[in-house]
């Protein structure tokens, strides 16, 4: 038997190893036949959104952000094999030229007036874009101050900015200079410091992190261009000491980082879990040979369950792969139950075969009923729409039957071969014997107290259960998957940063109408909803008041065209020419400062000292200053030139890819609805969806996807709970044949569930997509434990707390609790909450099995 079992395990292991496949595509976890998934499929077919990586480029200046985004876009576009599609979300020729038309008319007027006022400074610098040109231009402007034709205050802002920059450089601090900010005379808008690149990568869903190759390639391209990346920085501001920071977010990085965080600290968690399991097995069995037999049996069962799962489904998903810890926890329980009973039988006979037959006879029925009940509990998930859990239900359910068969075939054979000696416990004074005596005395006292105070125990339990039931309305289910992830990881921190801007939040709702006119009509209704911040259609991309804006732009262009785009530019200066220009500018600054008072004069003298120091200093210092001051100048001049060439925006002039994002060739038009308020707040999203749904019942989008996914998961658990309750109750009626005995078996399970959920309310732990997976394990272990006790009690067992059964239940629960409780150490919030919920549920399982159920059963029935 042992040889056959090990051979089957080896064959299953080879099959599982050679056929193992993993599908990390989260869309496959929910049935595609649900109404909301069908609506989503219709929308995706009309308006496919393949971009799954959002590259966020943050710069210390607007010029750095724009130049970096343009360079990185070009670099990624060159790798068409890995990146089939790369596009700028807020940049490129069209937006660079026409973007100003989307500002208000007054804002456009102000910006054009600012450019005109800066003409005397911009013209000479454009003709000589060097540090020499900057110093010479400043000298020319200062001549008007010394002759009384201008005021020093007119030059105060550029003088102060130049002085601040040079002094920061002299102090060795990271320094950046923005021409756009200097011309505008104020700090840049935060949106001007950020650019977005949308990337469609080639993904490998057979890998745990499907987009890791693409993400690594983007980071490598960024680093090769001299930009900092946030990878490994915990999502922190990687641009603190760098001019440009590149961060990744979007569906692919979010999924990859989540799967990566699940594996993070995996070695430590695995080591702690294995050590805890081995310790509990030792305390329960006190025999390395028995421990080895249980572990080998569990491993063989695991390989068989894996092979069965792969044979049926061909691949595991991110939910069904959780059958591994479920099987280990429950499979070890079967092994402990049989082995502890075998140890007890060994004390009555030296014949090992007789002890094994006694253990099989005593535990076979209980294990069979428990395994069948647990399998029914898992298989109840099979018909649900939560396909990930449905697959898990099939694999874990069939796996329980495998574990049962092995516990009565392979395990006894291995025990017979390994020949563990009877437990002697050592001398009476040994620590082990003293511990056993103490445990026996304690269990005896507890057992006696429980039987003497049955009404108190049962009444208290019912009262606590009632309080827990009353608290259920306070139990929260957090449907937002972002809350399950590490908020300090790169992709999550970046996404939360983007969500703060309504123009960039992904939490929008989308609606399709058969024509643009119908879309515009619905958009007008939606704009009246208080919970809506903005509604966009293709018509929204046609700027308002274009005539007035274009008139202001053309007036500025007539004055600035040759200023910004000079026919001839000066050749690069020599170092001596730069030093001479700086020295002359210092003289002119002091002369101008002598004609004025106040902050402008003080800053002019400050800059004069800085120019003098540069002029007399080493050439590398001048080269470094020139690089900092002139780095963004070409980008700024190019941006100004593009703005001055703006043309009327019409439906015909919009880029084809932009039009395709909003209008299908057959006429269908898209509407995008933006929520008002913090779209990362569940309450805000619920109010937003509740307000939009009556007006647009066919809306789709991330908020609905998240909420409907949560509803599907909750519904799946409710359905499975009802199915399993009915099936297990029917099984217990078939086996126990008494209503009271069935009630005694099921009541502690209900109590454990209520106490577990009530504890979640007390500690403020919400149920979520991750920790809810702990409930099937809780249910399975609870059913098994309570069936063991009831069947022993029906057989005439008395003082069960002092029996080998109680010892087996106690250590089985501790083995599972300590093994899975190590998940609490995970850096993944969802996994950590699962570990916490498992620990709490198993503690209450022990309490209900060892305290409440004996009180409920009372003294043994005459047998």
């Amino acid at each position: 038997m042992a040889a056959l079992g090990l051979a089957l395990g080896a064959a299953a292991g080879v099959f599982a190893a050679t056929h193992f496949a993993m599908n990390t595509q989260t869309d496959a976890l929910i049935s595609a036949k649900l109404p909301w998934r069908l609506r989503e499929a219709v929308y995706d077919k009309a308006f496919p959104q393949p971009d799954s990586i959002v590259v966020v480029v943050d710069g210390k200046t607007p010029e750095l952000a724009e130049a970096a985004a343009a360079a990185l876009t070009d670099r990624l576009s060159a790798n068409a094999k890995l990146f089939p599609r790369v596009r700028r979300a807020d940049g490129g020729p069209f937006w660079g030229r026409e973007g100003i038309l989307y500002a208000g008319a007054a804002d456009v007027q102000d910006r054009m007036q600012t450019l005109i006022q800066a003409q005397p400074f911009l013209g000479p610098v454009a003709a000589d874009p060097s540090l020499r040109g900057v110093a010479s231009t400043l000298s020319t402007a200062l001549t008007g101050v010394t002759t009384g034709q201008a005021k020093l205050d007119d030059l105060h802002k550029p003088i102060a900015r130049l002085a601040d920059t040079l002094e920061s450089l002299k102090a060795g601090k990271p320094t950046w200079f923005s021409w756009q900010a200097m011309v505008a005379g104020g700090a840049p808008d935060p949106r001007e410091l950020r650019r977005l690149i949308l990337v469609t990568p080639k993904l490998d869903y057979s890998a745990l992190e499907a987009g890791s190759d693409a993400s690594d390639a983007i980071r490598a391209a960024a680093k090769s261009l001299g930009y900092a990346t946030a990878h490994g920085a915990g999502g922190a501001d990687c641009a603190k000491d760098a001019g440009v920071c590149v961060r990744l977010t979007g569906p692919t990085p979010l999924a990859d980082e989540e799967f990566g965080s699940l594996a993070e600290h995996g070695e430590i968690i695995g080591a702690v879990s294995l050590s805890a399991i081995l310790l509990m097995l030792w305390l329960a069995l006190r025999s390395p040979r028995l421990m080895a037999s249980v572990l080998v049996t569990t491993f063989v069962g695991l390989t068989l369950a894996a092979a069965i799962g792969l044979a049926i489904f061909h691949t595991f998903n991110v939910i069904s792969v959780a059958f591994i810890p479920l099987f280990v926890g429950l499979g070890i329980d079967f092994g402990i139950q049989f082995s502890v009973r075998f140890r007890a039988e060994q004390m009555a006979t030296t014949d090992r075969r007789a002890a094994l037959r006694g253990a099989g006879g005593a535990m076979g029925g209980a294990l069979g009923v428990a395994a069948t009940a647990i399998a029914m509990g898992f298989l109840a998930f099979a018909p649900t729409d939560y396909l990930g859990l449905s697959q898990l239900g099939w694999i874990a359910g069939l796996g329980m039957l495998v574990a049962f068969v092995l516990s009565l075939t392979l395990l006894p054979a291995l025990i017979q071969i390994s020949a563990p000696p009877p437990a002697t416990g050592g001398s009476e004074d040994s620590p082990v014997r003293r511990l056993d005596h103490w445990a026996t005395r304690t269990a005896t006292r507890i057992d006696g107290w429980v039987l003497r105070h049955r009404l108190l125990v049962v009444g208290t339990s019912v009262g606590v259960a009632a309080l827990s039931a009353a608290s259920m309305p306070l139990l929260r289910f957090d449907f937002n998957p972002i809350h399950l992830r590490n908020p300090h990881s790169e992709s999550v921190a970046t996404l939360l940063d983007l969500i703060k801007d309504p123009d960039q939040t992904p939490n929008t709702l989308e609606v399709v109408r058969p024509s643009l006119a119908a879309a515009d009509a619905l958009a007008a209704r939606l704009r009246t909803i208080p919970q809506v911040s903005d509604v966009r259609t293709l018509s929204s991309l046609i700027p308002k008041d274009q005539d007035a804006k274009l008139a202001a732009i053309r007036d500025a262009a007539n004055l600035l065209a040759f200023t910004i785009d000079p026919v001839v530019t000066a050749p690069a200066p020599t170092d001596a020419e730069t030093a001479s220009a700086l020295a002359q500018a210092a003289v002119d600054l002091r002369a101008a400062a002598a004609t004025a008072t106040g902050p402008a004069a003080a800053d002019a003298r400050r800059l004069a000292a800085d120019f003098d120091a540069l002029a007399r200093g080493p050439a590398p210092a001048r080269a470094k200053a020139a690089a900092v001051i002139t780095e963004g100048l070409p980008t700024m001049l190019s941006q100004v030139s593009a703005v001055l060439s703006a043309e009327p925006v019409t439906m015909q002039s919009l880029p084809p890819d932009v039009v395709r994002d909003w209008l299908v060739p057959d006429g269908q038009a898209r509407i995008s609805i933006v929520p008002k308020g913090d779209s990362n707040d569940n309450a805000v999203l619920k109010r937003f969806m509740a307000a939009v749904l009556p007006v647009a019942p066919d809306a789709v989008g991330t908020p609905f996807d998240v909420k409907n996914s949560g509803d599907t998961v909750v519904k799946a658990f409710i359905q499975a709970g009802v199915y399993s309750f009915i099936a297990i109750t029917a099984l217990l009626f078939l086996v126990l044949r008494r209503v009271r005995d069935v009630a005694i078996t099921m009541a502690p399970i209900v109590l454990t569930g209520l106490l577990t959920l009530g504890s979640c309310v007390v500690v403020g732990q919400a149920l979520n997509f991750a920790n809810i997976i702990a409930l099937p394990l809780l249910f399975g272990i609870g059913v098994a434990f309570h069936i063991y006790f009831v069947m022993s009690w029906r057989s005439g067992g008395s003082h069960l707390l002092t029996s080998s059964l109680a010892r087996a239940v106690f250590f089985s629960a501790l083995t599972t609790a300590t093994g899975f409780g190590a998940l609490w150490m995970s850096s993944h919030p969802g996994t950590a909450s699962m570990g916490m919920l498992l620990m709490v549920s198993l503690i209450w399982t022990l309490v209900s099995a060892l305290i409440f159920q004996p009180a409920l059963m009372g003294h043994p029935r005459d047998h």
Side-chain angles (χ1 to χ4, degrees), residues 286 422-434 436-437:
R286 310 278 178 82
T424 62
S427 65
E428 289 295 328
D429 293 331
S430 68
V432 172
R433 182 61 65 88
R434 288 200 301 269
D436 283 342
H437 287 331

Side-chain angles (χ1 to χ4, degrees), residues 82-220:
L82 187 58
F83 305 112
R85 189 185 189 203
V86 181
R87 62 186 180 126
R88 295 281 303 277
D90 51 7
F94 175 81
W95 297 111
R97 184 180 64 252
E98 312 294 357
I100 191 172
L101 295 178
Y102 293 89
D107 188 31
V108 173
Q109 290 276 3
D110 291 342
R111 292 175 64 179
M112 293 302 104
Q113 191 60 37
T114 299
L115 287 176
I116 292 172
Q117 291 174 352
Q119 180 185 23
F121 203 88
L122 289 177
V125 173
D128 186 2
S130 65
L131 185 56
R132 176 191 63 187
V134 173
S136 299
T137 300
L138 189 56
S139 290
T140 301
L142 290 168
T143 301
V145 175
T146 56
T147 59
Q149 297 176 347
K151 295 180 179 180
L152 186 60
D153 286 342
D154 297 336
L155 298 173
H156 184 203
K157 288 183 178 179
I159 288 173
R161 287 182 181 274
L162 285 168
D164 291 341
T165 300
L166 294 177
E167 288 170 5
S168 179
L169 268 177
K170 185 178 179 181
K173 299 177 181 178
T175 306
W176 301 273
F177 184 81
S178 171
W179 284 88
Q180 182 173 319
M182 189 184 77
V183 170
D189 188 294
R191 297 184 185 184
E192 296 176 328
L193 302 176
R194 173 169 294 166
R195 295 291 184 269
L196 303 181
I197 306 172
L198 304 181
V199 178
T200 302
K202 182 180 179 182
L203 302 176
D204 179 12
Y205 287 113
S206 64
L208 181 63
E209 299 177 39
S212 60
D213 290 344
S215 296
D216 289 344
I218 294 173
R219 295 186 184 102

Side-chain angles (χ1 to χ4, degrees), residues 563-574:
T563 299
I564 300 301
D565 296 312
V567 177
V568 179
T569 57
T574 64

